Amino acid sequence: MIQFKHVSKRFPDGYFALNNIDLNIAAGEMVYVTGHSGAGKSTLLKLIAAIERPTAGSISISGQNIAQLKPGIVPFLRRKIGFVFQDHKLLFDRNVFDNVLLPLQISGFDNRVVASRVRAALDKVGLLKKEKVMPITLSGGERQRLCIARAVVHRPSILIADEPTGNLDIAYARDIMAMFYAFHQVGVTVLIATHDVALLEDTRHRILSLQQGKLAA
Ligand SMILES: Nc1ncnc2c1ncn2[C@@H]1O[C@H](COP(=O)(O)OP(=O)(O)OP(=O)(O)O)[C@@H](O)[C@H]1O
């Protein structure tokens, strides 16, 4: 479903964040991406969502080459993808409900279905009772759940999370991981970047290890 062929990402300063990556991820697979800080984990995830573009190689998603997508096509790709950002990107001047609603409104979803979609997403992450509160009043773990609700509200087939357990204690981190696992179990392709190897000790899923922009064998 996701295929990288000889993909490199060189930033304008000349630095290769990713160097000649070949990768295949099957539909419905759950995959972890690990590596030291600066190894290229975020860059790899951003390439899949066309937030960054590769400087060499090709990336295809469901057979569509996204390395050279025309800007007008990007929103169609994004509808397939839910992204949980490392820095959350929550809107602190809007309540929980509106934070989840916004991506649906931007995608032009029918107003008659959006409220029930938003509540279904909040329910999945256990935040239904907090729909009217402002994000500033949420704990770190609740904010992360809110980010997950926002990422899944349009029912993407690919869910990507960049360090979703950073700054959470281990019990809460496991809860968050269980949430991603539940999406995997209903057929969503899930990619999670984490430097937290303790979380992966007993995983059955594939672990991609990045070292200075290259995939370790
Ligand atoms: N826009 C940019 N311009 C220049 N260099 C960049 C840019 N974005 C990332 N880099 C560099 O590319 C390398 C890989 O960054 P990336 O954020 O992908 O790493 P990471 O593995 O996600 O790290 P972390 O765990 O610290 O988030 C780093 O050396 C980073 O400084």
Side-chain angles (χ1 to χ4, degrees):
M1 173 182 224
I2 300 171
Q3 187 173 51
F4 279 47
K5 279 191 189 156
H6 306 305
V7 171
S8 294
K9 175 66 184 180
R10 182 176 180 265
F11 283 107
D13 60 6
Y15 186 79
F16 276 88
L18 292 174
N19 198 342
N20 200 22
I21 302 284
D22 285 309
L23 176 63
N24 273 302
I25 296 172
E29 201 178 350
M30 179 153 179
V31 175
Y32 296 103
V33 185
T34 63
H36 58 86
S37 183
K41 304 182 293 296
S42 301
T43 304
L44 187 131
L45 300 184
K46 286 177 182 168
L47 287 176
I48 295 170
I51 297 168
E52 295 282 2
R53 298 304 178 97
T55 42
S58 69
I59 301 172
S60 75
I61 296 188
S62 309
Q64 182 181 30
N65 184 357
I66 64 156
Q68 275 122 23
L69 270 192
K70 293 199 174 75
I73 305 297
V74 172
F76 294 99
L77 169 72
R78 298 262 168 84
R79 280 181 202 177
K80 291 186 192 165
I81 296 175
F83 207 110
V84 177
F85 293 94
Q86 190 169 16
D87 58 354
H88 291 177
K89 300 196 191 301
L90 291 172
L91 300 169
F92 283 92
D93 59 343
R94 293 177 192 236
N95 68 19
V96 162
F97 185 94
D98 287 347
N99 265 274
V100 181
L101 175 70
L102 198 66
L104 283 187
Q105 283 183 324
I106 291 171
S107 311
F109 271 76
D110 185 336
N111 270 335
R112 287 168 297 184
V113 302
V114 290
S116 62
R117 284 280 193 103
V118 171
R119 292 201 174 96
L122 287 173
D123 193 27
K124 279 202 184 89
V125 302
L127 278 182
L128 197 49
K129 289 196 178 124
K130 300 223 169 181
E131 68 170 57
K132 293 206 170 64
V133 312
M134 300 304 275
I136 195 80
T137 67
L138 298 178
S139 70
E142 287 171 333
R143 284 183 199 179
Q144 195 56 272
R145 290 166 184 235
L146 176 54
C147 295
I148 296 171
R150 186 185 52 186
V152 300
V153 70
H154 59 298
R155 299 181 186 160
S157 53
I158 302 171
L159 178 57
I160 297 173
D162 196 355
E163 298 284 357
T165 61
N167 302 324
L168 299 179
D169 64 45
I170 187 80
Y172 217 119
R174 287 192 194 284
D175 271 4
I176 295 285
M177 285 301 195
M179 246 166 239
F180 287 110
Y181 183 65
F183 289 110
H184 158 66
Q185 282 195 306
V186 294
V188 178
T189 308
V190 179
L191 271 100
I192 302 173
T194 181
H195 64 270
D196 195 350
V197 284
L199 275 174
L200 308 183
E201 268 166 9
D202 47 6
T203 185
R204 295 178 288 112
H205 301 291
R206 183 148 63 116
I207 300 174
L208 301 172
S209 176
L210 277 170
Q211 285 170 9
Q212 285 161 349
K214 292 188 179 229
L215 274 180

